[in-house]
Amino acid sequence: MPHDGTGKTSEHVVDFNAARAQRMDEKRRNAERIFFNNLLSVYCVTGGDKLRPVEIIEVSEDGCSFRVPFDAANPWPSDAENIPLRLYFSQDTYLQVHVNIANSRPSIESGKRFVRYGCEIDKGVTSYPAYQQFVKFLKLYSEHAHKDMGDLTVFYI
C-alpha cells in the first residue's frame, strides 16, 4: 500500500459509478443540445398573443431552463406564472406546456447578453403526460444514441 510520508498508509478509491454517472450526464446534455438546436423550435406566448423565441437549455419532468437575449426595451418578467411554452416538432405542430418562472439570472456568452430562466412545469395541464414522455425519451435516447462517424458506405442496387 502507498504511504503518505507520515508512516500512515493512504489509499485511493476510484468510484466508477460516479465517473460513469458523470459521463452519462455529459452525454445526455450533448444529446439534448442536438435536439434543442437542430430539431426543436421553442417559443413562449407573451402578452398580446405574440410568440417570442427562446433557447431551451435543459428539461426535466419537473421543470426546464431557457435563455433569451437581453433586451432592455422589452424585458422579460422575472417571476411570471402560467406562461405558455410551445415546443414545435414541425412548422405547424407543437406541444404546449405552462411554466412558472422560479428564478432568473443574467449571463454573457460569446460577447452577447442573455437572461437565463429556471422554470417549474405545471403538471396539471392535460399535455403534461406527453411532455413527461418526451423528457423520458430524451433520457433514453441519450443513453443509447450513437454518433454517425460516416464509416459505412451506402450501396444502391
Side-chain angles (χ1 to χ4, degrees), residues 34-84:
I34 290 168
F35 246 90
F36 300 150
N37 294 335
N38 298 313
L39 301 172
L40 195 65
S41 298
V42 183
Y43 296 87
C44 276
V45 181
T46 60
D49 293 331
K50 293 184 180 180
L51 292 178
R52 291 181 67 175
V54 301
E55 183 180 339
I56 288 286
I57 298 170
E58 285 188 285
V59 295
S60 73
E61 290 185 32
D62 297 320
C64 68
S65 64
F66 63 84
R67 71 179 190 175
V68 296
F70 175 77
D71 182 357
N74 194 9
W76 275 68
S78 60
D79 61 353
E81 293 187 4
N82 203 28
I83 299 173

Side-chain angles (χ1 to χ4, degrees), residues 146-154:
H146 299 279
K147 184 171 177 80
D148 185 347
M149 304 302 278
D151 54 351
L152 297 178
T153 303
V154 177

Side-chain angles (χ1 to χ4, degrees), residues 3 9 11 21 38 67-68 78 86 89-90 109 121 143:
H3 293 279
T9 303
E11 295 183 29
N38 298 313
R67 71 179 190 175
V68 296
S78 60
R86 292 183 178 184
F89 291 87
S90 71
E109 294 180 35
I121 298 289
E143 290 175 9

